[in-house]
Amino acid sequence: MADAIVDTVASVPVAVVGAGPAGLMLAHLLGRAGVETVVLDTRTRQEIETTHRAGILEADAARDLVETGVSERILLDGHEHEGVELRFGGRPYRIDFKELVGASVWLYPQTDVFIDLADARERDGGTVHFGVRETEVLDVTTDAPRVRWTASDGTRHEVRARYVVGADGSRSMCRDLVPEDRRARYGKEYPYAWFGIMAEAPMSAPELVYAHSEHGFALISQRTPRVQRMYFQCAPDEPVEAWSDDRVWETLQARVAGEDGFRLNEGPILEKTVLRFRSFVQEPMRWGSMALAGDAAHTVPPTGARGLNLALHDVKVLAGVLLRALGGEGAAALDDYQPRALQRVWRAQNFSYWMTRLLHTAPGDTPFDLRRQLGELDNAVGTRAGRTFLAEQYTGWPTAPQD
């Protein structure tokens, strides 16, 4: 296929494979600096828009969306959360982010981040191709990498670029371009999953609620004032069809119940899914003239709300080094990308693992394990140092000046 005839050939400084939030944000940042990009994705725009995902944005990420001119919609439709609630032993404990670390997070679905970025690219005249197939990335170890694809009308296209960015998600084909003997992959599969629902109901709490109980873990999140997203721990192979609405609500109510009488507002369930999760990192994040960003390079379990934030941080760093490379420093500028990105990636992996293990019950856990968990939770909420650690990790780390 690499030698097949193409219908059109174009040249741009940067080609981006993957039109999710990471790829579109990178194109947006480069576009603001006058650098032309081509972005492509195998999914249609409608497919991405209708894949519902929750989203907690660090204040830095939210600020970047507004201040770089993507959209101010997060200020209108998003919800600023100044804390989070942990429930265990039948009692609620609030972690006050503002009081502890002077920061907050924003509840704003990832789907809406994508819509804002896609609209901004269209508004600004950016080139984005959705619904492509037979994508190839060629010659990444040279100074003239190429990207080829087939459009929905069957025509074949090629882009010649100076740099290529693989932002093509957790099933990335770009990361496979790093030779097997030159890459390292680190990962962990978890022995549990989340059963997620979208329900038409009023909010049950003003902020996220993470619940640990003898019945298992639950997370109470929000989507809009009238639509809520909630999760509870289940087996990775749990059949969705085995769960009636009544059984779902009974399970969730049992996992958040406490001496304060807290109960969830119930309503019709609009969607049911089982979300399996894992930890994954590939190194290197740069190979020749190609860099990896977002889920193409790393994934985290959703417990710590780090995934989208890591992706946006990757491309913020990457945009800076690409501008330096294109501005005269050459490919050597890209040497700065991996160490700066990976520092945050491994911090986030640690926090996500810690939160996951702190709140979930693994198969084979003993009564000792449960009691030890409660002791760790008590440490996390019962001391200022513990609360500060959780608040600092959850809200993210201030972006370094060079970022």
Side-chain angles (χ1 to χ4, degrees), residues 151-339:
S152 57
D153 63 1
T155 56
R156 189 76 176 154
H157 303 271
E158 178 176 294
V159 163
R160 298 173 181 175
R162 178 60 189 90
Y163 299 104
V164 172
V165 175
D168 50 339
S170 59
R171 295 176 179 160
S172 170
M173 65 92 173
C174 288
R175 67 175 172 227
D176 290 337
L177 298 176
V178 182
E180 189 172 355
D181 62 347
R182 303 299 297 274
R183 70 191 184 216
R185 289 180 172 176
Y186 307 93
K188 180 176 179 60
E189 297 286 343
Y190 292 82
Y192 31 72
W194 280 1
F195 194 105
I197 68 165
M198 194 91 78
E200 186 177 347
M203 289 185 180
S204 297
E207 298 169 338
L208 268 64
V209 177
Y210 289 82
H212 173 285
S213 79
E214 61 181 352
H215 302 288
F217 166 81
L219 169 61
I220 310 307
S221 182
Q222 304 83 19
R223 181 69 188 272
T224 71
R226 290 183 290 182
V227 177
Q228 315 310 322
R229 184 170 281 282
M230 306 180 195
Y231 305 89
F232 59 85
Q233 180 183 336
C234 67
D237 57 353
E238 192 72 38
V240 171
E241 60 275 9
W243 287 81
S244 67
D245 288 10
D246 288 344
R247 186 185 177 197
V248 167
W249 286 119
E250 182 181 351
T251 299
L252 283 166
Q253 296 288 12
R255 296 188 183 192
V256 302
E259 59 187 42
D260 59 349
F262 178 66
R263 284 189 60 81
L264 302 173
N265 292 318
E266 299 184 9
I269 295 178
L270 309 175
E271 177 185 290
K272 299 174 185 175
T273 57
V274 172
L275 175 64
R276 300 183 67 164
F277 49 93
R278 61 195 289 253
S279 298
F280 173 84
V281 180
Q282 173 165 307
E283 299 179 17
M285 291 177 64
R286 179 251 177 134
W287 182 250
S289 295
M290 179 186 71
L292 301 174
D295 286 359
H298 46 74
T299 57
V300 293
T303 325
R306 297 295 89 207
L308 176 57
N309 292 290
L310 278 181
L312 294 176
H313 181 262
D314 280 355
V315 297
K316 186 175 182 179
V317 173
L318 185 55
V321 298
L322 284 171
L323 291 174
R324 286 167 45 204
L326 294 167
E329 292 187 35
L334 267 67
D335 292 342
D336 287 347
Y337 172 54
Q338 175 169 299

Side-chain angles (χ1 to χ4, degrees), residues 337-357:
Y337 172 54
Q338 175 169 299
R340 289 167 57 190
L342 278 181
Q343 181 184 35
R344 183 171 289 228
V345 167
W346 282 110
R347 279 187 178 185
Q349 290 288 358
N350 175 65
F351 176 62
S352 298
Y353 174 85
W354 177 75
M355 279 280 285
T356 300
R357 192 64 189 95

Side-chain angles (χ1 to χ4, degrees), residues 42-64:
T42 57
R43 300 165 295 176
T44 67
R45 174 166 175 168
Q46 183 180 15
E47 285 173 334
I48 304 175
E49 284 187 7
T50 54
T51 302
H52 296 296
R53 295 184 179 181
I56 292 290
L57 290 178
E58 298 170 4
D60 273 0
R63 188 180 305 113
D64 287 342

Side-chain angles (χ1 to χ4, degrees), residues 61-75:
R63 188 180 305 113
D64 287 342
L65 290 173
V66 175
E67 293 185 354
T68 66
V70 175
S71 173
E72 294 188 353
R73 196 160 65 95
I74 189 172
L75 303 178

